[in-house]
Amino acid sequence: MQVLINGNHASAPRNGELLALLQQFGAREPFAVAINGNFVPKSRYPAVRVAPGDQIDIVQPIEGG
């Protein structure tokens, strides 16, 4: 299944598990996730499934001032 991660095409796991997708992408703490512009709380990651064409944004805080 194809999704967009940070604007790039990527293959998502067949079962659509968000946690598996984050591991596949190599996301490292700390980060935040939004799917189709909607923030996903970390507590929901295990239950969330992505769908073909979803736009997933994985963002990390930037240090500095």
Side-chain angles (χ1 to χ4, degrees):
M1 140 178 37
Q2 291 294 306
V3 295
L4 286 175
I5 300 178
N6 294 346
N8 298 305
H9 292 277
S11 294
R14 286 183 146 187
N15 60 9
E17 291 180 351
L18 178 60
L19 274 178
L21 178 66
L22 293 172
Q23 291 172 343
Q24 176 182 310
F25 185 74
R28 295 181 191 214
E29 295 279 348
F31 61 85
V33 176
I35 299 176
N36 300 322
N38 297 307
F39 171 74
V40 179
K42 186 176 181 179
S43 62
R44 299 267 308 130
Y45 291 176
V48 172
R49 300 289 185 266
V50 297
D54 276 352
Q55 294 181 18
I56 301 147
D57 295 302
I58 304 169
V59 294
Q60 295 183 304
I62 298 174
E63 294 184 30

